[in-house]
Amino acid sequence: TETVADILERQVLEHPDSIALVFESVELTYRELNEAANRVANQLHRQCRVQPDQVVGILMDRSERMMAGLLGIIKSGAAYLPLDPAFPAARISYMLEDSGCRVLLTERVYRGGLTGISPDAVIIELDCLPDAPVTDPPRSSGPESLLYLIYTSGSTGLPKGVMLEQRNVISFNRNMAQVYGLEPGDTILALTTITFDISVLELICSLMSGMKVVLASDAIANNPGRAAELLGTSGVNVVQITPSRLKLMLEEADLSILSGLKALLIGGEPLPPHLFERLKAIPDVPLFNVYGPTEATIWSTTKKLNDADLTIGVPLVDEDVLILTPDGSKIVPIGVWGELCIGGQGLARGYWNRLELTLDRFIPHPVRPGERIYRTGDFGRFLPDGDIQCGGRMDNQVKVRGYRIETGEIEQNLLKISGVREAVAHIVEIDGLNEIAAYLVPDGDKLPLPSELRQRLAEYLPDYMLPSYYVALDSVPLTPNGKTDRKALPLPTGKAAGSATSGVAAYLPPRTEIEAGLAAIWQRILGVERVGVNDNFFELGGHSIKAIRIASAIAKELRQEIQLSLIFQNPVLSSLAAALSGTTAVDQTLLSPLLPQQWYETSPGQRRLWILQRMAPGSAAYNMPLALKLMGHVDLAALTKSISSLVERHEPLRTIFPEQDGLPVQVILPTDGEYLTLVDLSGHTDPWEQTIQASRRAAATPFDLYGGPLFRAILYRTSQDESLLLLLMHHINGDAWTWGILLRELAELYHLNAAGRTAHSSLPLVQYKEWAHYQNNAMASGIWETMRQYWHGALAGANTPLNLPTDLTRPAVRRDGGDSLQLTLPAQIVVQLEEMGRRHGATLFMVLLALLKTLLYRMSGQEEITVGIPVAGRPVQQLEDMAGFFVNTLALRSRVTAELQFVQLLAQVRQTALDGYEHQLYPFDSLVSELAIPRDTGNAPLFDVMAVMQEDWERIPAFSNLAVSPVTMVTGTSRFDLVFNFSREDEGLTLEL
Ligand code: AMP
């Protein structure tokens, strides 16, 4: 009657304070992990009333959160369906659809890409989990309930789900102690993806046995060098691994990382004899060859190999192995090869929704009536001493780098590509490694290029199923009885995959240090003499093992840790070089000066402002005025000269935006004459009042983006010793940060000019136009794809207008009329807010945001509250002194509910803000168009409320002998319904609303 959850709970009771899980710097005790799992389980009950045998998908990166998700599903009594975020979207959709999955645990980042999930499905984002009870959830499942549904490759072209029950795993679990001698206190390294069933041993049986799990992140699991390092440093004494992975690790590290292990389980594919020989050098480590298919739960047989011959040993506890004749009716004699068949307690329930296939593979037991036995498709025989020998496959199922693949699935997907008439996928051994080669007969006279074939296959197949070679054939060789003659297939000729069909890229030598570094690595690892920036990894014979090696070399030689997927997504050398830098920030070397042109492309942000201004040509909403009161005698000549130099230094101050083919372009005008206008109002009776009024009128005068000028400077003189300097630009050419830069420079220039000295600084070579170009490139080449995915996930389905109570009905068309109010929050309250933030790892701004969201929730009664915040958008130092429209907007979306406590909301807001900052470069303006938000003239896209925390730079520098102070310059407009402008002052917090 016992379930997996019962066994797990017993471990929690027995040693609540032992460490159950280590992930990076996080350590969770049995009690803590159990509570995290219970929270998930209780939420699953509360929100979706999950039932036993119901399938709950899990699509998450490897982390302690994923463990809580996995264990949570198990504790809820439901079954889990593991999905790998690295799989193509179409494959994930297929699995969701085929399994009828209606509940999915995932993370916000992956939400956007989801298709194929039923429209009434519940998607739970574990990174935004509401607070659910931590007590044990109600018990609902039994030993016969489904525990997991794992999809394996299917020969007909689509993967098939294997259904495993709780009792299967409970039965297997007895081997942990009885066969492998594992016990509480042992520590296992978990490297295997949850889509492969041997992960159940690492993640679940380990905890059922009271062990400690060291969970490797995706980045580490994909990087053999780092995995070896983790093994060596994390106190692990148990390792389970496939021979392929071990081989890669031993290329990066010494055999000694394995010494001292209590158990090394190696299996999942045949153990190559040379690796076996090598492992004999660590005689004290118990080495187990483990064998078994997914359909019979994790492992079915084991051989302790030390000093023994290479066999797969004997059946595990309560497993039953028979060698049968091809028709499955009779047992063959000892020593005779037949089909290896497995019965006993590990036997799966069958294939999900594939009755015929189930009946074909799970046949009646020839000896025990009423029982079933699974035909593995492996050749096997019993040796006289009782050991079993595995003799390879009878069919076209293969193992490549430890992954189970039906070549038929690759072939079926190749046949879907137009231009392919016949396809055979076959394993070839090259340099001692199994590689997939695709043999293709074209339909018509030409095959698609290998890179195209690959791209099409990658829409559906995971990386490890993609062929490394594409070979064109006139016809498929056949055996006399008309079957494909695989033995007659030619070996691929080597380097360029399918070079026979590929168009060779024009050679262009590396231009930057990163490109040169990468080219050297590619040349070495791909064995190619000369690699240029246009070369494609796959067309040079790249495949996943080589990608792993390249990633290791990049880490060592270029000191950059990368995800393997980066190489797959950027197979062309130049784009990989760009992406390498894009992973963390922006490649400074790519921001190189553009050649002089008549016009330059605009950035996504500029394009949107241009359109907004064109829709409302009379609007001053995007005017950026700055007014300074100057006390003391102004040296007019020095000021005029300083402003001219400023305009000369910064191209945006003289950039206009005419139209080219319906789109705005940037035209940079030459420096021309003087930019400062003097207005003398000192003769008036109330000159200051006159000045304020005149400057406000000037500040609210709309700009003509087509013809310019887009920068104005006016000095209003009210008396000998008092004047007002109004500087004005359009937002399309600068942001608030720009004012900071310009003011600093203006102060310096004025200081020099007033003293009769000249400034000798050279003009900046790289300016905003280069950044616009970089942004467009980054978007087009996919370097910012991760960021794009993040935002599409975070904002999927957003855009509910906020309904604040208003006195008047909201006009159908949004207008920009506005005004501002100021309030001050006393210092003692601000200090407490800051203290609260510190306790929860949040900044004052995050606390203010959470407060603002609470306020908006209360006032609107709506639960989804999205507030916009600006971010500087200047990721590298090179951009910090540039004038231009860099500022970007992040739409931070929260769900505020009545049950939430304030600190929970704060935690949520903090996380959303941190995630947002991490993905801050992706242009908001592009998102708005990509998300296809319905045009609504009454509301702004995504949010109507903006919050800003004023930065320190806004302190005004002194201008030589002049005392300078800011003058609030209102334009009578507001860009949003409400803007909360906070600034932290010594005396407290100022809020300009
Ligand atoms: P999977 O369902 O992914 O575990 O794959 C099961 C198949 O992998 C088996 O049917 C064998 O063909 C192969 N296999 C697994 N372990 C071994 C092993 N230790 N030696 C030889 N082949 C193995």
Side-chain angles (χ1 to χ4, degrees):
T1 58
E2 213 170 27
T3 63
V4 170
D6 294 332
I7 300 177
L8 289 170
E9 274 161 28
R10 211 165 54 224
Q11 294 294 350
V12 178
L13 285 178
E14 276 171 25
H15 35 80
D17 298 318
S18 309
I19 302 296
L21 178 70
V22 181
F23 176 75
E24 293 178 342
S25 59
V26 180
E27 276 194 356
L28 295 178
T29 62
Y30 266 83
R31 185 195 301 121
E32 289 164 336
L33 183 58
N34 187 50
E35 287 181 356
N38 284 349
R39 217 173 268 142
V40 176
N42 286 318
Q43 185 64 23
L44 283 171
H45 277 292
R46 205 151 67 173
Q47 207 175 334
C48 331
R49 302 186 202 293
V50 290
Q51 301 290 330
D53 268 18
Q54 180 177 348
V55 172
V56 175
I58 175 161
L59 175 69
M60 295 181 75
D61 289 333
R62 294 165 70 79
S63 71
E64 81 281 10
R65 209 141 63 191
M66 177 195 84
M67 279 301 281
L70 208 57
L71 297 170
I73 299 173
I74 295 174
K75 295 204 75 181
S76 77
Y80 71 90
L81 162 71
L83 299 162
D84 188 334
F87 282 173
R91 195 176 187 82
I92 294 177
S93 323
Y94 169 74
M95 291 176 182
L96 288 170
E97 217 171 283
D98 182 68
S99 64
C101 175
R102 275 164 195 274
V103 183
L104 176 69
L105 294 189
T106 185
E107 287 160 303
R108 185 157 278 203
V109 265
Y110 297 121
R111 197 185 171 131
L114 285 176
T115 49
I117 189 157
S118 120
D120 51 348
V122 180
I123 299 175
I124 299 180
E125 291 163 5
L126 274 198
D127 38 353
C128 311
L129 189 69
D131 212 36
V134 299
T135 47
D136 283 329
R139 187 194 147 135
S140 53
S141 60
E144 319 259 280
S145 305
L146 210 59
L147 184 67
Y148 55 86
L149 178 67
I150 280 190
Y151 277 80
T152 71
S153 179
S155 55
T156 55
L158 291 169
K160 52 187 188 285
V162 190
M163 298 184 282
L164 280 303
E165 297 178 349
Q166 306 240 359
R167 57 178 188 87
N168 297 138
V169 169
I170 294 175
S171 170
F172 174 84
N173 194 52
R174 287 185 290 155
N175 296 294
M176 296 289 280
Q178 288 182 34
V179 176
Y180 307 119
L182 306 180
E183 56 194 358
D186 288 333
T187 304
I188 189 166
L189 179 62
L191 290 170
T192 312
T193 159
I194 58 170
T195 57
F196 186 3
D197 77 329
I198 69 173
S199 63
V200 176
L201 185 152
E202 293 170 357
L203 303 177
I204 298 168
C205 296
S206 52
L207 295 174
M208 289 164 78
S209 311
M211 296 164 65
K212 173 157 104 179
V213 178
V214 173
L215 179 66
S217 64
D218 293 288
I220 293 181
N222 284 325
N223 180 328
R226 292 187 64 196
E229 194 183 309
L230 181 66
L231 198 171
T233 55
S234 53
V236 159
N237 69 346
V238 181
V239 172
Q240 171 190 259
I241 198 162
T242 60
S244 297
R245 192 198 285 273
L246 183 58
K247 201 164 163 266
L248 284 172
M249 265 163 80
L250 293 178
E251 286 177 11
E252 299 291 327
D254 201 84
L255 204 56
S256 64
I257 50 164
L258 300 171
S259 52
L261 289 186
K262 177 177 183 178
L264 174 60
L265 279 62
I266 177 162
E269 62 187 335
L271 176 59
H274 55 269
L275 182 59
F276 177 38
E277 283 308 312
R278 223 180 136 189
L279 292 171
K280 286 185 175 159
I282 38 164
D284 299 332
V285 176
L287 172 65
F288 298 95
N289 184 15
V290 280
Y291 162 91
T294 308
E295 287 84 344
T297 317
I298 314 176
W299 306 120
S300 305
T301 74
T302 290
K303 175 69 182 177
K304 184 149 178 262
L305 281 180
N306 308 70
D307 298 323
D309 289 336
L310 182 49
T311 72
I312 57 167
V314 296
L316 290 170
V317 174
D318 283 336
E319 299 277 338
D320 173 23
V321 171
L322 297 180
I323 309 294
L324 300 183
T325 52
D327 65 355
S329 64
K330 288 189 214 59
I331 300 178
V332 302
I334 289 174
V336 175
W337 290 103
E339 180 166 13
L340 200 160
C341 298
I342 304 172
Q345 290 302 318
L347 220 54
R349 194 190 280 179
Y351 298 110
W352 164 257
N353 249 342
R354 302 270 199 294
L355 185 60
E356 236 170 273
L357 185 62
T358 306
L359 292 175
D360 180 50
R361 308 304 299 190
F362 295 80
I363 56 170
H365 197 290
V367 190
R368 292 195 210 132
E371 285 187 24
R372 296 177 311 154
I373 193 160
Y374 169 71
R375 296 169 45 203
T376 62
D378 286 317
F379 283 109
R381 66 171 174 178
F382 269 104
L383 298 175
D385 63 359
D387 268 7
I388 304 158
Q389 221 180 1
C390 178
R393 295 296 304 176
M394 310 170 74
D395 54 14
N396 294 323
Q397 180 190 310
V398 294
K399 284 274 172 148
V400 175
R401 309 187 240 299
Y403 293 101
R404 171 169 161 179
I405 296 170
E406 293 284 353
T407 52
E409 187 174 345
I410 303 171
E411 289 162 1
Q412 292 304 320
N413 281 286
L414 280 166
L415 288 174
K416 287 190 210 150
I417 302 174
S418 71
V420 176
R421 191 160 48 148
E422 285 181 79
V424 180
H426 186 59
I427 301 305
V428 290
E429 201 184 300
I430 289 181
D431 301 337
L433 290 170
N434 278 352
E435 303 289 355
I436 309 171
Y439 294 87
L440 305 162
V441 178
D443 190 16
D445 47 302
K446 252 184 107 199
L447 268 184
L449 289 176
S451 52
E452 282 168 45
L453 290 166
R454 194 191 146 81
Q455 201 178 357
R456 290 293 312 277
L457 285 181
E459 287 168 15
Y460 192 77
L461 299 178
D463 294 340
Y464 61 80
M465 286 181 78
L466 300 176
S468 303
Y469 299 93
Y470 296 87
V471 182
L473 296 179
D474 292 332
S475 60
V476 171
L478 298 177
T479 59
N481 50 19
K483 289 182 159 183
T484 303
D485 187 356
R486 292 178 175 264
K487 290 200 189 79
L489 290 169
L491 260 193
T493 43
K495 311 260 160 47
S499 53
T501 58
S502 74
V504 176
Y507 175 75
L508 192 66
R511 298 159 297 191
T512 64
E513 228 170 274
I514 294 195
E515 285 177 351
L518 268 182
I521 293 174
W522 283 29
Q523 283 165 3
R524 196 175 67 237
I525 292 174
L526 298 173
V528 179
E529 242 166 64
R530 186 180 78 168
V531 173
V533 299
N534 289 332
D535 281 314
N536 182 306
F537 172 72
F538 297 108
E539 292 181 359
L540 298 178
H543 51 65
S544 40
I545 295 263
K546 292 190 173 164
I548 292 173
R549 293 200 177 117
I550 286 181
S552 294
I554 290 173
K556 263 188 235 141
E557 295 160 37
L558 307 180
R559 308 208 168 282
Q560 287 228 45
E561 292 287 346
I562 60 161
Q563 296 273 12
L564 210 55
S565 54
L566 201 73
I567 300 179
F568 291 106
Q569 285 157 8
N570 300 282
V572 175
L573 190 132
S574 60
S575 72
L576 182 62
L580 269 181
S581 334
T583 48
T584 43
V586 170
D587 184 358
Q588 314 226 7
T589 57
L590 287 182
L591 261 173
S592 44
L594 293 172
L595 292 174
Q597 291 157 32
Q598 244 174 352
W599 53 264
Y600 303 88
E601 60 201 288
T602 42
S603 67
Q606 287 181 321
R607 288 195 284 278
R608 207 168 92 86
L609 277 190
W610 188 83
I611 288 167
L612 286 175
Q613 189 70 53
R614 192 168 63 169
M615 287 186 329
S619 166
Y622 289 94
N623 283 16
M624 299 276 295
L626 180 84
L628 302 173
K629 182 173 185 179
L630 309 178
M631 297 295 286
H633 174 71
V634 176
D635 179 337
L636 194 61
L639 187 62
T640 306
K641 202 164 160 203
S642 307
I643 286 179
S644 294
S645 327
L646 212 55
V647 177
E648 188 179 5
R649 283 180 61 70
H650 297 283
E651 290 168 355
L653 301 184
R654 46 193 165 90
T655 299
I656 55 169
F657 298 84
E659 189 172 327
Q660 277 277 342
D661 304 327
L663 282 178
V665 292
Q666 309 194 58
V667 171
I668 299 165
L669 302 174
T671 325
D672 142 42
E674 293 179 359
Y675 292 85
L676 182 69
T677 318
L678 176 70
V679 178
D680 199 334
L681 296 172
S682 52
H684 277 268
T685 39
D686 188 355
W688 186 251
E689 183 50 38
Q690 285 295 326
T691 296
I692 292 290
Q693 278 179 22
S695 60
R696 282 190 179 170
R697 272 196 306 277
T701 308
F703 282 106
D704 167 15
L705 296 188
Y706 290 74
L710 299 185
F711 175 76
R712 299 182 199 136
I714 306 173
L715 185 74
Y716 297 91
R717 181 174 281 162
T718 48
S719 74
Q720 265 311 22
D721 291 326
E722 188 190 69
S723 38
L724 183 144
L725 176 63
L726 174 70
L727 300 176
L728 193 57
M729 63 182 167
H730 191 276
H731 202 3
I732 200 165
N733 277 331
D735 46 20
W737 183 303
T738 300
W739 277 141
I741 300 164
L742 296 182
L743 273 189
R744 224 173 35 237
E745 290 192 6
L746 185 62
E748 274 165 39
L749 287 166
Y750 180 78
H751 183 77
L752 289 172
N753 286 326
R757 310 212 311 261
T758 28
H760 288 291
S761 66
S762 52
L763 297 184
L765 279 178
V766 171
Q767 302 227 15
Y768 186 79
K769 63 181 190 302
E770 275 82 11
W771 174 241
H773 175 74
Y774 185 91
Q775 272 187 304
N776 292 331
N777 255 358
M779 309 257 309
S781 67
I783 303 176
W784 286 359
E785 182 55 21
T786 325
M787 286 197 271
R788 192 187 69 83
Q789 278 177 13
Y790 169 77
W791 287 111
H792 280 238
L795 298 176
N799 199 39
T800 322
L802 187 69
N803 284 318
L804 292 178
T806 51
D807 291 338
L808 306 174
T809 11
R810 204 183 167 87
V813 178
R814 202 161 66 99
R815 293 188 296 252
D816 58 19
D819 208 337
S820 75
L821 289 175
Q822 267 209 14
L823 353 154
T824 306
L825 218 57
Q828 73 262 38
I829 293 184
V830 182
V831 169
Q832 286 180 46
L833 291 176
E834 280 169 335
E835 174 50 31
M836 168 175 227
R838 259 195 298 281
R839 275 202 309 277
H840 295 94
T843 60
L844 175 62
F845 186 45
M846 292 171 185
V847 178
L848 293 169
L849 267 179
L851 274 170
L852 174 57
K853 293 200 173 200
T854 312
L855 174 75
L856 296 175
Y857 160 73
R858 292 250 175 107
M859 297 202 64
S860 66
Q862 287 167 290
E863 295 194 338
E864 186 179 315
I865 306 286
T866 305
V867 168
I869 66 166
V871 280
R874 296 169 187 256
V876 289
Q877 205 219 333
Q878 200 183 359
L879 303 176
E880 284 176 8
D881 295 325
M882 267 186 216
F885 178 32
F886 289 89
V887 67
N888 195 17
T889 307
L890 310 183
L892 302 184
R893 180 188 191 190
S894 308
R895 179 158 289 280
V896 189
T897 55
E899 303 93 67
L900 273 188
Q901 301 203 341
F902 183 73
V903 291
Q904 292 170 328
L905 175 65
L906 177 59
Q908 200 199 97
V909 167
R910 170 181 177 274
Q911 195 55 50
T912 314
L914 289 177
D915 291 345
Y917 292 141
E918 197 183 319
H919 301 103
Q920 63 165 292
L921 283 190
Y922 202 79
F924 176 74
D925 312 280
S926 305
L927 264 182
V928 169
S929 40
E930 288 164 13
L931 289 171
I933 290 164
R935 267 279 299 278
D936 173 354
T937 47
N939 293 79
L942 291 169
F943 59 85
D944 288 303
V945 175
M946 178 109 190
V948 187
M949 191 80 192
Q950 226 58 279
E951 305 278 347
D952 274 355
W953 57 258
E954 286 167 54
R955 311 241 150 102
I956 307 285
F959 275 36
S960 208
N961 58 334
L962 298 173
V964 183
S965 57
V967 178
T968 312
M969 199 34 54
V970 288
T971 53
T973 60
S974 177
R975 290 175 203 152
F976 296 93
D977 282 8
L978 288 170
V979 180
F980 288 76
N981 221 325
F982 300 103
S983 40
R984 177 79 173 95
E985 325 263 349
D986 295 338
E987 56 277 17
L989 185 82
T990 318
L991 164 61
E992 188 197 16
L993 179 58

